[in-house]
Each structure stands twice: as C-alpha cells, then as structure tokens.
C-alpha cells in the first residue's frame, strides 16, 4: 500500500480477524510508525523498506523470534549483497565497518504479540533504510546508515530485497523447528556484535552497566556487572566505546 499508520498495527488488527500465518504487509510510507520501547518510527517516503509479516508460532519460541529475525536479516544482507553488518542485541541491524569506523543503524525490528484464547499471533515489523536519496536526515546523521552506502553493487529493488529477507527468515524458522533453539542461538551469537563488549543497557527497571557475555535460551542477554551476572530480557543496548570503558 502507499501509505498507512503502521503496518504492524494493521497486521495485528488483521490477525485478530483470522489472517493466516505468512501474510506480508508492505507500505511506502507510515505516518504513525511504531518503534521499540514505545517510540515512534519516522521514515521519509521511498527511502525505506517498511514491512510486517505474521507468524503463528508455538508459545515456547516467542521470546527468540526477535533474535531470529535479526539473524535472518543480517544473514540475507551479507549473503545477497556482501554488506558488512551485524546484530546489536536484541535485533538492531548495524553496519560494522571493517576499518573500525563507527557502527550505524541500518534497520530496526519490532515484534508484537496478540493472544486471543489459544490463538497466538506475532507480528514482526522491519524498517530498513535502503537509500537516503536526499542525504541522511540531520537528526539521525550520526547514528543511521543506508544499504546503498554499504554495498558496491546496484541498490536492490524493494521487492527483491524483501524476497531475500523472507527466504532467510524462512530458513531460520526451519532451523529452529528442526534443530532447536540452541542451534539457532549458536548462529545468533556468531553474528551478534554485542557479545564481548562493554554495554550500557537501558531496561524498564533501570540502567545496567557491564560486559555482555552470553545469550540465554530465552534470548535474554547476560551481563557481567561489578556485582555479579544479571540477565536482561528487554531493553536498549548501547555499546560503550573502548575509550569510555570504566577500566
Ligand atoms: C526499532 O525501534 O528499531 C524498531 C522499528 C520498527 C519499524 C518497523 S517499520 C514497519 C513496521 N511497522 C511499524 O509500525 N513498525 C515496524
């Protein structure tokens, strides 16, 4: 569709009317895009891939779906376009320059669940910057990047990019089903650029500082803090640059 409020909101509403697993909703522009932690997600028309898809998973896999999605997107971008990207826990897709330059956000993911009786629906929404045709907007210039800046070949068409990503999502869902969550998380760990780093986690319960050391089976991030290990299941991660390290 050309414009909507939020593809996630639309698909959640459709899921309550019985929409089937696998329905995909794509918009050219959202005027009430939703981001993680209750934030608003702004886009400039025609720059981004704004899409949501519907899953009807078994309850036990729900908490790993955001991580699975991050892994799948990073994998698709590397495999199909040679982009140097990684996943910041839980699922921001970052550029990871090999020359040690700053990491910047390329895509964000928002997973939202709806339960009606025994019916569980999870809507996965992704906003990915394909190309800032009019330059990077000032307010995000220090933190955001686009796919066009990360690849040497032609910038992919929106539908071709979406196809690559959905194939990759399907592959990871198959892996989860056939090999189980620990195999999936092994793959996630290898593309997660948060592990081994000093982090500042903004969680609903407050700020946690420490070193990110592992991912639990639930998808929670384990942090080694000055007072022991804590695991965090939701929050915003900030990678602390080495010069800012406490010690
Ligand atoms: C984040 O905060 O990083 C997640 C942003 C997710 C944005 C996408 S755009 C398509 C889908 N529809 C929404 O309203 N949000 C998601």
């Amino acid at each position: 569709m050309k414009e909507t409020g939020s593809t996630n909101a639309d698909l959640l509403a459709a899921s309550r009317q019985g929409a089937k697993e696998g329905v995909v909703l794509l918009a050219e522009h959202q005027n009430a895009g939703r981001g993680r932690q209750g934030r608003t997600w702004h886009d400039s028309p025609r720059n981004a891939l704004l899409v949501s898809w519907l899953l009807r998973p078994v309850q036990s896999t729900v908490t790993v779906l955001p991580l699975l999605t991050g892994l799948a997107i990073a994998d698709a971008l590397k495999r199909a376009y040679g982009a140097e990207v990684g996943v910041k826990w839980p699922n921001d897709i970052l550029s990871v320059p090999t020359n040690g330059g700053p990491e910047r956000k390329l895509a964000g993911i928002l997973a939202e669940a709806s339960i009606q009786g025994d019916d569980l629906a999870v809507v996965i929404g992704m906003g990915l910057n394909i190309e800032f045709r009019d330059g990077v907007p000032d307010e995000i210039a220090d933190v955001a990047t686009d796919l066009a800046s990360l690849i040497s070949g032609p910038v992919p068409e929106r539908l071709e990019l979406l196809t690559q990503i959905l194939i990759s999502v399907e592959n990871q869902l198959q892996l989860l089903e056939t090999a189980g969550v620990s195999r999936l998380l092994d793959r996630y760990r290898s593309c997660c650029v948060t592990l081994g780093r000093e982090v500042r986690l903004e969680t609903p319960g407050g700020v946690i500082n420490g070193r990110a050391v592992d991912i639990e089976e639930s998808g929670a991030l384990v942090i080694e803090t000055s007072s022991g290990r804590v695991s965090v299941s939701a929050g915003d991660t900030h990678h602390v640059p080495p010069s800012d390290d406490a010690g």
Side-chain angles (χ1 to χ4, degrees), residues 44 47 104-105 129 131-146 149:
S44 17
N47 282 336
R104 294 191 199 285
K105 183 161 168 172
N129 304 320
E131 186 170 20
F132 294 121
R133 292 165 208 253
D134 307 318
V136 193
D138 282 350
E139 61 280 13
I140 54 171
D142 290 346
V143 292
T145 190
D146 59 5
S149 315

Side-chain angles (χ1 to χ4, degrees), residues 191-204:
C191 81
C192 176
V193 292
T194 299
L195 288 176
R197 303 273 288 269
E198 290 297 322
V199 292
R200 183 166 57 82
L201 251 293
E202 286 169 17
T203 78

